[in-house]
Amino acid sequence: MKKYFIPLLVALPVVTFAQSAIDAQQVSQSDFKGTARFMAMGGAFTALGGDLTTLNQNPAGIGIYRSSEIGVSMDINFQNTKTEPFYRLAGNSNSQTKVYCPNFGYVGATVLNGALKTFNWGVSYNRAATFDRVYRGGMASTQTSLSNYIAAFTTQSGVPYSDMEFGTNYNPYLNSSIDWLSILGYNSYMINPVSASSYSGLYQNGTQGDAIFYVKETGYVDEYNMSFGGNVENVVYWGLTIGITDLHYTRSLYYSESMSDAAISNYGNGITTGSAGFEMNTRKYINGTGWNLKAGVILKPINELRIGLAVHTPTWYKFDQGYDATVDYAYTPNATSQTFSGNEYTDDAYFRWRFNSPWKIMAGIAGVIDGRAIVSLDYQYDGYSNMGIKTPAYYGYDENYETNDALNQDIKDYFKGSSTVRLGLEYRVTPQFSLRAGYNFQTTNVKDQAKNGNIEVLTSGTDASYTFNKDVQNICFGLGYRYQAWYIDAAYVYTNRQSTYHAYTNFDISSGGVAGSVAPVWSVKDNNSSIILSTGFKF
């Protein structure tokens, strides 16, 4: 097959699986990132301010400044991921170390006379999310096959097999709106026709099979902020931030199955029983830019008490997305023991879409005890069910984006709002030296019906897999040292996150599936440690 790069074809209607609610979830994740002081106190700064990270959290924090500041941070992140169940051929543990700059910024403070005591402005860079993760696993005894899932939705779509065959001047990837997994599965003999538009997968009653996967996710969300704020009578502090985001996300998947007594093609002449094996490699990327607004206020009715409130609009993104896949296959009928094998690959897909991330609201309260201790508590709500996707009405008409009701309904079916609680403590041992501790906990944004496989979960492109994160908790410690205008802070953060990796969705077993079967699921556990160092000057 000749490879092509897919331009946005003018007259072709939008393919159903070009984007998905799963894509929206993958690119809307946010991480716990910032300066060492912010991280050491669990990020509970909604009511505190006076830290460079607050330009990205509660912009009113810029109003706390009475002098200018410049600072930079470094993060050394140690990642360890394990999966269960464990299959010895696959391994179940992966580790990697990343070093990057999570934050740098500048705040300028102008002292005024009158009710407005200060007017401040600042610029900052903040790494809002890091997608880097590697995990793998295997299952020694599967109950169905990816091929059966492909056969099921291809049969339900009523796609004639003749429409998936290549011909003179006809490439089904380019010249039809058929799902690419169907085309790839048919041409790699993962699915085989039993009638003109009905298909069989490889797994049948009596089949024994195993599965292995390897996932590598890379990318980041960087945010560049410009903030303005002030101090009214040392009681009301206000702020506004304009944020510009830069997002890059890539997900690469290796997935293989090996089966005995499978339902395989008899060299294209009907279906017979034999051994089957395939290895699929898929790649998906999403790149784009966006912008958002943040507004906040901090009230200090008395010196010992601060109350904070902030609202973040969605980030409005413009995305470019692409994907491709290859399959290496080998089939051996029991009757002949003659193996036929080959390689099949897709063309290179390219799409554009629009997306708005969740809106956020946060509130905090902080108390100062005896001028030496700070206790701070935050609550944040992220409205994941209100994310939105727009897609082009026709390829080639990029300026004409329309709300995609089907994908937005999937978002509501799969996801719900997420809550985060943050607690921070700081104790000033001496005027120069401080000790800090913090904790935060974020609930999952995945609904039980999606997490438990009670509904079909649709993905995009050629990757049928998806990963759902469960609750996330961060345990934090740190210290800080001040010498005149210079400061240096250090923090240690331990992050525990559990997820589930689904090779594909549970599907309708009455069409192409096997009675009583469900898709393979693995438990993924991340136990990560970070060391953050920050330094800066106040002047």
Short mmCIF file of all heavy atoms in Angstrom, two decimals, residues 281-341:
data_model
loop_
_atom_site.label_atom_id
_atom_site.label_comp_id
_atom_site.label_asym_id
_atom_site.label_seq_id
_atom_site.Cartn_x
_atom_site.Cartn_y
_atom_site.Cartn_z
N ASN A 281 1.32 -1.52 16.43
CA ASN A 281 1.95 -0.31 16.92
C ASN A 281 1.13 0.89 16.46
O ASN A 281 0.89 1.05 15.25
CB ASN A 281 3.38 -0.19 16.38
CG ASN A 281 4.34 -1.14 17.06
OD1 ASN A 281 4.84 -0.87 18.14
ND2 ASN A 281 4.59 -2.27 16.41
N THR A 282 0.71 1.71 17.40
CA THR A 282 -0.06 2.90 17.06
C THR A 282 0.61 4.13 17.66
O THR A 282 1.28 4.05 18.69
CB THR A 282 -1.51 2.82 17.56
OG1 THR A 282 -1.53 2.95 18.99
CG2 THR A 282 -2.15 1.51 17.16
N ARG A 283 0.39 5.25 17.02
CA ARG A 283 0.90 6.53 17.52
C ARG A 283 -0.17 7.59 17.31
O ARG A 283 -0.80 7.67 16.26
CB ARG A 283 2.18 6.94 16.78
CG ARG A 283 2.80 8.25 17.26
CD ARG A 283 4.00 8.60 16.41
NE ARG A 283 3.60 8.92 15.04
CZ ARG A 283 3.39 10.16 14.59
NH1 ARG A 283 3.54 11.19 15.40
NH2 ARG A 283 3.03 10.38 13.33
N LYS A 284 -0.35 8.41 18.34
CA LYS A 284 -1.30 9.51 18.27
C LYS A 284 -0.63 10.75 18.84
O LYS A 284 0.03 10.68 19.88
CB LYS A 284 -2.57 9.20 19.05
CG LYS A 284 -3.55 10.38 19.16
CD LYS A 284 -4.85 9.96 19.81
CE LYS A 284 -4.69 9.52 21.24
NZ LYS A 284 -5.97 9.16 21.87
N TYR A 285 -0.80 11.88 18.19
CA TYR A 285 -0.27 13.13 18.74
C TYR A 285 -1.35 14.20 18.70
O TYR A 285 -2.22 14.21 17.82
CB TYR A 285 0.98 13.60 17.97
CG TYR A 285 0.70 14.07 16.57
CD1 TYR A 285 0.28 15.39 16.32
CD2 TYR A 285 0.88 13.23 15.48
CE1 TYR A 285 0.03 15.83 15.03
CE2 TYR A 285 0.63 13.67 14.18
CZ TYR A 285 0.20 14.96 13.97
OH TYR A 285 -0.06 15.40 12.70
N ILE A 286 -1.30 15.10 19.67
CA ILE A 286 -2.18 16.25 19.74
C ILE A 286 -1.31 17.46 20.11
O ILE A 286 -0.65 17.44 21.15
CB ILE A 286 -3.30 16.06 20.77
CG1 ILE A 286 -4.14 14.81 20.47
CG2 ILE A 286 -4.20 17.30 20.82
CD1 ILE A 286 -5.15 14.48 21.54
N ASN A 287 -1.32 18.48 19.27
CA ASN A 287 -0.56 19.70 19.52
C ASN A 287 -1.48 20.90 19.37
O ASN A 287 -2.38 20.90 18.53
CB ASN A 287 0.60 19.84 18.52
CG ASN A 287 1.58 18.69 18.61
OD1 ASN A 287 1.90 18.21 19.70
ND2 ASN A 287 2.06 18.23 17.46
N GLY A 288 -1.27 21.91 20.21
CA GLY A 288 -2.10 23.10 20.06
C GLY A 288 -1.75 24.20 21.02
O GLY A 288 -0.89 24.06 21.89
N THR A 289 -2.44 25.30 20.86
CA THR A 289 -2.29 26.46 21.75
C THR A 289 -3.67 26.91 22.21
O THR A 289 -4.69 26.63 21.57
CB THR A 289 -1.59 27.63 21.04
OG1 THR A 289 -2.36 27.99 19.87
CG2 THR A 289 -0.18 27.24 20.61
N GLY A 290 -3.68 27.61 23.34
CA GLY A 290 -4.95 28.09 23.87
C GLY A 290 -4.74 29.30 24.77
O GLY A 290 -3.61 29.75 25.00
N TRP A 291 -5.83 29.82 25.27
CA TRP A 291 -5.75 30.96 26.18
C TRP A 291 -6.87 30.87 27.20
O TRP A 291 -7.89 30.20 27.00
CB TRP A 291 -5.83 32.29 25.41
CG TRP A 291 -7.17 32.55 24.76
CD1 TRP A 291 -7.64 32.06 23.59
CD2 TRP A 291 -8.22 33.38 25.30
NE1 TRP A 291 -8.91 32.50 23.34
CE2 TRP A 291 -9.28 33.33 24.37
CE3 TRP A 291 -8.35 34.14 26.45
CZ2 TRP A 291 -10.48 34.02 24.57
CZ3 TRP A 291 -9.54 34.84 26.66
CH2 TRP A 291 -10.58 34.78 25.73
N ASN A 292 -6.67 31.55 28.34
CA ASN A 292 -7.67 31.54 29.40
C ASN A 292 -7.55 32.80 30.24
O ASN A 292 -6.61 33.58 30.09
CB ASN A 292 -7.50 30.28 30.29
CG ASN A 292 -6.12 30.19 30.91
OD1 ASN A 292 -5.66 31.10 31.61
ND2 ASN A 292 -5.42 29.08 30.64
N LEU A 293 -8.51 32.97 31.11
CA LEU A 293 -8.52 34.08 32.06
C LEU A 293 -8.68 33.52 33.47
O LEU A 293 -9.37 32.52 33.68
CB LEU A 293 -9.66 35.05 31.76
CG LEU A 293 -9.61 35.81 30.43
CD1 LEU A 293 -10.90 36.60 30.24
CD2 LEU A 293 -8.40 36.73 30.39
N LYS A 294 -8.04 34.19 34.42
CA LYS A 294 -8.18 33.84 35.83
C LYS A 294 -8.41 35.12 36.62
O LYS A 294 -7.77 36.15 36.34
CB LYS A 294 -6.93 33.12 36.36
CG LYS A 294 -6.50 31.92 35.54
CD LYS A 294 -5.22 31.32 36.09
CE LYS A 294 -4.69 30.22 35.21
NZ LYS A 294 -4.12 30.74 33.94
N ALA A 295 -9.30 35.07 37.58
CA ALA A 295 -9.58 36.24 38.42
C ALA A 295 -9.73 35.77 39.86
O ALA A 295 -10.19 34.66 40.13
CB ALA A 295 -10.85 36.95 37.96
N GLY A 296 -9.30 36.63 40.79
CA GLY A 296 -9.39 36.23 42.19
C GLY A 296 -9.36 37.40 43.14
O GLY A 296 -9.03 38.54 42.76
N VAL A 297 -9.70 37.10 44.37
CA VAL A 297 -9.70 38.10 45.43
C VAL A 297 -9.26 37.44 46.73
O VAL A 297 -9.53 36.24 46.96
CB VAL A 297 -11.10 38.73 45.59
CG1 VAL A 297 -12.13 37.69 46.02
CG2 VAL A 297 -11.07 39.90 46.56
N ILE A 298 -8.55 38.18 47.56
CA ILE A 298 -8.17 37.74 48.91
C ILE A 298 -8.62 38.83 49.88
O ILE A 298 -8.33 40.02 49.67
CB ILE A 298 -6.65 37.51 49.03
CG1 ILE A 298 -6.21 36.34 48.15
CG2 ILE A 298 -6.26 37.23 50.50
CD1 ILE A 298 -4.71 36.12 48.12
N LEU A 299 -9.31 38.43 50.92
CA LEU A 299 -9.77 39.35 51.95
C LEU A 299 -8.97 39.11 53.23
O LEU A 299 -8.76 37.96 53.64
CB LEU A 299 -11.26 39.15 52.24
CG LEU A 299 -12.21 39.27 51.04
CD1 LEU A 299 -13.65 38.98 51.47
CD2 LEU A 299 -12.11 40.65 50.41
N LYS A 300 -8.54 40.21 53.87
CA LYS A 300 -7.82 40.12 55.14
C LYS A 300 -8.52 41.03 56.15
O LYS A 300 -8.09 42.16 56.39
CB LYS A 300 -6.35 40.51 54.97
CG LYS A 300 -5.50 40.22 56.20
CD LYS A 300 -4.02 40.51 55.96
CE LYS A 300 -3.76 42.00 55.87
NZ LYS A 300 -2.31 42.31 55.86
N PRO A 301 -9.62 40.53 56.75
CA PRO A 301 -10.36 41.37 57.68
C PRO A 301 -9.56 41.72 58.93
O PRO A 301 -9.73 42.79 59.50
CB PRO A 301 -11.59 40.52 58.02
CG PRO A 301 -11.17 39.12 57.72
CD PRO A 301 -10.23 39.21 56.56
N ILE A 302 -8.70 40.79 59.36
CA ILE A 302 -7.77 41.02 60.46
C ILE A 302 -6.43 40.42 60.05
O ILE A 302 -6.36 39.59 59.13
CB ILE A 302 -8.25 40.40 61.79
CG1 ILE A 302 -8.47 38.89 61.62
CG2 ILE A 302 -9.51 41.09 62.29
CD1 ILE A 302 -8.86 38.20 62.93
N ASN A 303 -5.37 40.80 60.71
CA ASN A 303 -4.04 40.35 60.32
C ASN A 303 -3.89 38.83 60.42
O ASN A 303 -3.06 38.25 59.70
CB ASN A 303 -2.97 41.01 61.19
CG ASN A 303 -2.76 42.47 60.82
OD1 ASN A 303 -2.98 42.86 59.67
ND2 ASN A 303 -2.34 43.28 61.79
N GLU A 304 -4.67 38.20 61.29
CA GLU A 304 -4.51 36.77 61.51
C GLU A 304 -5.36 35.90 60.58
O GLU A 304 -5.28 34.68 60.66
CB GLU A 304 -4.88 36.43 62.97
CG GLU A 304 -3.96 36.99 64.02
CD GLU A 304 -4.20 38.46 64.29
OE1 GLU A 304 -5.27 38.99 63.89
OE2 GLU A 304 -3.30 39.11 64.88
N LEU A 305 -6.14 36.50 59.70
CA LEU A 305 -7.07 35.72 58.88
C LEU A 305 -7.07 36.21 57.44
O LEU A 305 -7.13 37.42 57.18
CB LEU A 305 -8.48 35.81 59.45
CG LEU A 305 -9.59 35.08 58.67
CD1 LEU A 305 -9.36 33.57 58.72
CD2 LEU A 305 -10.96 35.44 59.22
N ARG A 306 -7.04 35.25 56.50
CA ARG A 306 -7.16 35.56 55.08
C ARG A 306 -8.15 34.60 54.44
O ARG A 306 -8.14 33.40 54.74
CB ARG A 306 -5.81 35.48 54.37
CG ARG A 306 -4.82 36.54 54.79
CD ARG A 306 -3.52 36.41 54.05
NE ARG A 306 -2.54 37.37 54.52
CZ ARG A 306 -1.28 37.45 54.09
NH1 ARG A 306 -0.87 36.60 53.14
NH2 ARG A 306 -0.45 38.34 54.57
N ILE A 307 -8.98 35.12 53.55
CA ILE A 307 -9.97 34.33 52.83
C ILE A 307 -9.78 34.59 51.34
O ILE A 307 -9.73 35.76 50.91
CB ILE A 307 -11.40 34.70 53.26
CG1 ILE A 307 -11.58 34.48 54.76
CG2 ILE A 307 -12.43 33.88 52.47
CD1 ILE A 307 -12.85 35.09 55.32
N GLY A 308 -9.67 33.52 50.54
CA GLY A 308 -9.41 33.67 49.12
C GLY A 308 -10.44 32.99 48.25
O GLY A 308 -11.03 31.97 48.64
N LEU A 309 -10.66 33.54 47.07
CA LEU A 309 -11.58 32.97 46.09
C LEU A 309 -11.02 33.25 44.70
O LEU A 309 -10.58 34.36 44.42
CB LEU A 309 -12.98 33.57 46.23
CG LEU A 309 -14.04 33.07 45.23
CD1 LEU A 309 -14.37 31.60 45.51
CD2 LEU A 309 -15.30 33.92 45.32
N ALA A 310 -11.04 32.23 43.82
CA ALA A 310 -10.55 32.41 42.46
C ALA A 310 -11.40 31.60 41.50
O ALA A 310 -11.93 30.53 41.85
CB ALA A 310 -9.08 32.00 42.35
N VAL A 311 -11.50 32.10 40.26
CA VAL A 311 -12.23 31.43 39.20
C VAL A 311 -11.35 31.39 37.96
O VAL A 311 -10.73 32.40 37.60
CB VAL A 311 -13.56 32.16 38.87
CG1 VAL A 311 -14.26 31.48 37.70
CG2 VAL A 311 -14.47 32.19 40.09
N HIS A 312 -11.27 30.21 37.32
CA HIS A 312 -10.55 30.06 36.06
C HIS A 312 -11.54 29.74 34.96
O HIS A 312 -12.36 28.83 35.09
CB HIS A 312 -9.54 28.90 36.14
CG HIS A 312 -8.44 29.10 37.13
ND1 HIS A 312 -7.36 28.26 37.20
CD2 HIS A 312 -8.25 30.03 38.10
CE1 HIS A 312 -6.55 28.66 38.16
NE2 HIS A 312 -7.08 29.75 38.73
N THR A 313 -11.49 30.49 33.88
CA THR A 313 -12.30 30.13 32.71
C THR A 313 -11.73 28.86 32.09
O THR A 313 -10.60 28.45 32.40
CB THR A 313 -12.27 31.24 31.67
OG1 THR A 313 -10.96 31.31 31.07
CG2 THR A 313 -12.63 32.58 32.27
N PRO A 314 -12.48 28.21 31.21
CA PRO A 314 -11.85 27.14 30.41
C PRO A 314 -10.69 27.70 29.60
O PRO A 314 -10.62 28.90 29.32
CB PRO A 314 -12.99 26.68 29.50
CG PRO A 314 -14.25 27.11 30.18
CD PRO A 314 -13.90 28.39 30.89
N THR A 315 -9.77 26.82 29.24
CA THR A 315 -8.77 27.17 28.24
C THR A 315 -9.33 26.82 26.88
O THR A 315 -9.74 25.68 26.64
CB THR A 315 -7.45 26.41 28.48
OG1 THR A 315 -6.94 26.75 29.77
CG2 THR A 315 -6.43 26.78 27.42
N TRP A 316 -9.39 27.81 26.00
CA TRP A 316 -9.93 27.60 24.66
C TRP A 316 -8.79 27.24 23.72
O TRP A 316 -7.93 28.06 23.42
CB TRP A 316 -10.67 28.85 24.20
CG TRP A 316 -11.94 29.07 24.98
CD1 TRP A 316 -13.13 28.44 24.82
CD2 TRP A 316 -12.13 30.01 26.05
NE1 TRP A 316 -14.07 28.91 25.71
CE2 TRP A 316 -13.48 29.87 26.49
CE3 TRP A 316 -11.32 30.94 26.69
CZ2 TRP A 316 -14.01 30.62 27.53
CZ3 TRP A 316 -11.84 31.69 27.73
CH2 TRP A 316 -13.17 31.53 28.13
N TYR A 317 -8.81 25.99 23.25
CA TYR A 317 -7.69 25.43 22.48
C TYR A 317 -8.03 25.33 20.99
O TYR A 317 -9.18 25.10 20.60
CB TYR A 317 -7.36 24.03 22.96
CG TYR A 317 -6.50 23.95 24.20
CD1 TYR A 317 -7.04 23.56 25.42
CD2 TYR A 317 -5.13 24.22 24.14
CE1 TYR A 317 -6.25 23.46 26.56
CE2 TYR A 317 -4.34 24.12 25.26
CZ TYR A 317 -4.90 23.74 26.47
OH TYR A 317 -4.11 23.63 27.58
N LYS A 318 -6.97 25.41 20.18
CA LYS A 318 -6.99 25.01 18.78
C LYS A 318 -5.99 23.85 18.64
O LYS A 318 -4.81 24.03 18.94
CB LYS A 318 -6.58 26.16 17.86
CG LYS A 318 -7.53 27.35 17.89
CD LYS A 318 -7.03 28.44 16.94
CE LYS A 318 -7.99 29.63 16.94
NZ LYS A 318 -7.50 30.70 16.02
N PHE A 319 -6.48 22.70 18.18
CA PHE A 319 -5.65 21.50 18.15
C PHE A 319 -5.42 20.99 16.73
O PHE A 319 -6.32 21.02 15.88
CB PHE A 319 -6.30 20.37 18.95
CG PHE A 319 -6.14 20.50 20.44
CD1 PHE A 319 -7.19 20.19 21.29
CD2 PHE A 319 -4.95 20.93 21.00
CE1 PHE A 319 -7.05 20.28 22.67
CE2 PHE A 319 -4.81 21.05 22.36
CZ PHE A 319 -5.86 20.73 23.20
N ASP A 320 -4.20 20.50 16.51
CA ASP A 320 -3.88 19.63 15.39
C ASP A 320 -3.68 18.23 15.95
O ASP A 320 -3.00 18.05 16.96
CB ASP A 320 -2.60 20.07 14.69
CG ASP A 320 -2.73 21.45 14.05
OD1 ASP A 320 -3.84 21.78 13.60
OD2 ASP A 320 -1.73 22.18 14.03
N GLN A 321 -4.26 17.24 15.29
CA GLN A 321 -4.16 15.86 15.77
C GLN A 321 -3.86 14.93 14.61
O GLN A 321 -4.34 15.12 13.49
CB GLN A 321 -5.46 15.43 16.44
CG GLN A 321 -5.46 13.99 16.94
CD GLN A 321 -6.65 13.66 17.81
OE1 GLN A 321 -7.31 14.55 18.33
NE2 GLN A 321 -6.92 12.40 17.99
N GLY A 322 -3.05 13.91 14.88
CA GLY A 322 -2.74 12.92 13.86
C GLY A 322 -2.55 11.55 14.47
O GLY A 322 -2.36 11.42 15.69
N TYR A 323 -2.61 10.54 13.64
CA TYR A 323 -2.36 9.18 14.11
C TYR A 323 -2.00 8.28 12.94
O TYR A 323 -2.24 8.59 11.77
CB TYR A 323 -3.57 8.62 14.87
CG TYR A 323 -4.88 8.63 14.12
CD1 TYR A 323 -5.18 7.67 13.16
CD2 TYR A 323 -5.84 9.60 14.40
CE1 TYR A 323 -6.40 7.67 12.49
CE2 TYR A 323 -7.07 9.61 13.73
CZ TYR A 323 -7.33 8.64 12.78
OH TYR A 323 -8.53 8.65 12.12
N ASP A 324 -1.42 7.14 13.27
CA ASP A 324 -1.12 6.10 12.29
C ASP A 324 -0.94 4.79 13.04
O ASP A 324 -0.86 4.77 14.27
CB ASP A 324 0.13 6.44 11.46
CG ASP A 324 1.35 6.68 12.33
OD1 ASP A 324 1.74 5.78 13.09
OD2 ASP A 324 1.94 7.78 12.25
N ALA A 325 -0.86 3.69 12.30
CA ALA A 325 -0.72 2.37 12.92
C ALA A 325 -0.13 1.38 11.93
O ALA A 325 -0.29 1.53 10.71
CB ALA A 325 -2.07 1.86 13.43
N THR A 326 0.52 0.36 12.46
CA THR A 326 1.01 -0.77 11.67
C THR A 326 0.64 -2.06 12.40
O THR A 326 0.51 -2.08 13.63
CB THR A 326 2.53 -0.73 11.48
OG1 THR A 326 3.17 -0.87 12.76
CG2 THR A 326 2.97 0.56 10.83
N VAL A 327 0.45 -3.13 11.64
CA VAL A 327 0.18 -4.45 12.20
C VAL A 327 1.08 -5.46 11.51
O VAL A 327 1.10 -5.55 10.27
CB VAL A 327 -1.29 -4.86 12.03
CG1 VAL A 327 -1.49 -6.32 12.45
CG2 VAL A 327 -2.21 -3.96 12.86
N ASP A 328 1.84 -6.23 12.28
CA ASP A 328 2.56 -7.40 11.79
C ASP A 328 1.76 -8.62 12.22
O ASP A 328 1.40 -8.75 13.39
CB ASP A 328 3.97 -7.47 12.37
CG ASP A 328 4.84 -6.33 11.89
OD1 ASP A 328 5.05 -6.21 10.68
OD2 ASP A 328 5.31 -5.54 12.75
N TYR A 329 1.51 -9.55 11.29
CA TYR A 329 0.64 -10.68 11.61
C TYR A 329 1.23 -11.98 11.08
O TYR A 329 2.04 -11.99 10.14
CB TYR A 329 -0.76 -10.47 11.02
CG TYR A 329 -0.78 -10.27 9.52
CD1 TYR A 329 -0.80 -11.36 8.64
CD2 TYR A 329 -0.79 -8.99 8.97
CE1 TYR A 329 -0.82 -11.18 7.27
CE2 TYR A 329 -0.81 -8.80 7.59
CZ TYR A 329 -0.82 -9.91 6.75
OH TYR A 329 -0.84 -9.73 5.39
N ALA A 330 0.81 -13.08 11.72
CA ALA A 330 1.20 -14.42 11.28
C ALA A 330 0.10 -15.39 11.69
O ALA A 330 -0.36 -15.38 12.84
CB ALA A 330 2.53 -14.84 11.91
N TYR A 331 -0.35 -16.22 10.73
CA TYR A 331 -1.43 -17.17 10.97
C TYR A 331 -1.02 -18.54 10.43
O TYR A 331 -0.46 -18.64 9.33
CB TYR A 331 -2.72 -16.72 10.30
CG TYR A 331 -3.13 -15.32 10.68
CD1 TYR A 331 -2.94 -14.24 9.80
CD2 TYR A 331 -3.69 -15.05 11.92
CE1 TYR A 331 -3.30 -12.96 10.15
CE2 TYR A 331 -4.06 -13.76 12.28
CZ TYR A 331 -3.86 -12.72 11.40
OH TYR A 331 -4.21 -11.45 11.76
N THR A 332 -1.32 -19.58 11.18
CA THR A 332 -0.95 -20.95 10.79
C THR A 332 -2.14 -21.87 10.97
O THR A 332 -2.52 -22.19 12.11
CB THR A 332 0.22 -21.48 11.63
OG1 THR A 332 1.32 -20.56 11.57
CG2 THR A 332 0.68 -22.84 11.13
N PRO A 333 -2.80 -22.28 9.91
CA PRO A 333 -3.91 -23.24 10.02
C PRO A 333 -3.43 -24.57 10.62
O PRO A 333 -2.34 -25.05 10.28
CB PRO A 333 -4.40 -23.42 8.59
CG PRO A 333 -3.91 -22.20 7.86
CD PRO A 333 -2.62 -21.83 8.51
N ASN A 334 -4.24 -25.15 11.49
CA ASN A 334 -3.87 -26.44 12.08
C ASN A 334 -3.75 -27.53 11.02
O ASN A 334 -2.91 -28.43 11.12
CB ASN A 334 -4.90 -26.86 13.12
CG ASN A 334 -4.84 -25.99 14.37
OD1 ASN A 334 -3.83 -25.33 14.62
ND2 ASN A 334 -5.92 -25.98 15.15
N ALA A 335 -4.57 -27.43 9.97
CA ALA A 335 -4.62 -28.51 8.98
C ALA A 335 -3.38 -28.57 8.11
O ALA A 335 -2.98 -29.65 7.65
CB ALA A 335 -5.86 -28.35 8.10
N THR A 336 -2.73 -27.43 7.87
CA THR A 336 -1.59 -27.41 6.94
C THR A 336 -0.26 -27.08 7.60
O THR A 336 0.79 -27.40 7.06
CB THR A 336 -1.84 -26.36 5.84
OG1 THR A 336 -1.88 -25.05 6.43
CG2 THR A 336 -3.16 -26.63 5.12
N SER A 337 -0.31 -26.42 8.75
CA SER A 337 0.91 -25.98 9.46
C SER A 337 1.78 -25.07 8.59
O SER A 337 2.99 -24.97 8.80
CB SER A 337 1.73 -27.19 9.94
OG SER A 337 0.99 -27.95 10.85
N GLN A 338 1.17 -24.42 7.60
CA GLN A 338 1.90 -23.49 6.76
C GLN A 338 1.51 -22.06 7.16
O GLN A 338 0.34 -21.67 7.07
CB GLN A 338 1.58 -23.73 5.28
CG GLN A 338 2.05 -25.08 4.76
CD GLN A 338 1.72 -25.28 3.29
OE1 GLN A 338 1.00 -24.48 2.70
NE2 GLN A 338 2.23 -26.35 2.71
N THR A 339 2.50 -21.31 7.58
CA THR A 339 2.26 -19.96 8.09
C THR A 339 2.22 -18.95 6.96
O THR A 339 3.06 -18.98 6.06
CB THR A 339 3.35 -19.57 9.09
OG1 THR A 339 3.34 -20.48 10.19
CG2 THR A 339 3.12 -18.16 9.61
N PHE A 340 1.20 -18.08 6.99
CA PHE A 340 1.26 -16.93 6.11
C PHE A 340 1.31 -15.68 7.01
O PHE A 340 0.66 -15.62 8.05
CB PHE A 340 0.09 -16.88 5.13
CG PHE A 340 -1.26 -16.63 5.72
CD1 PHE A 340 -1.81 -15.35 5.75
CD2 PHE A 340 -2.01 -17.68 6.25
CE1 PHE A 340 -3.07 -15.12 6.27
CE2 PHE A 340 -3.28 -17.45 6.77
CZ PHE A 340 -3.81 -16.18 6.80
N SER A 341 2.12 -14.74 6.61
CA SER A 341 2.38 -13.58 7.45
C SER A 341 2.52 -12.34 6.58
O SER A 341 2.62 -12.42 5.35
CB SER A 341 3.65 -13.78 8.28
OG SER A 341 4.77 -13.98 7.44
#
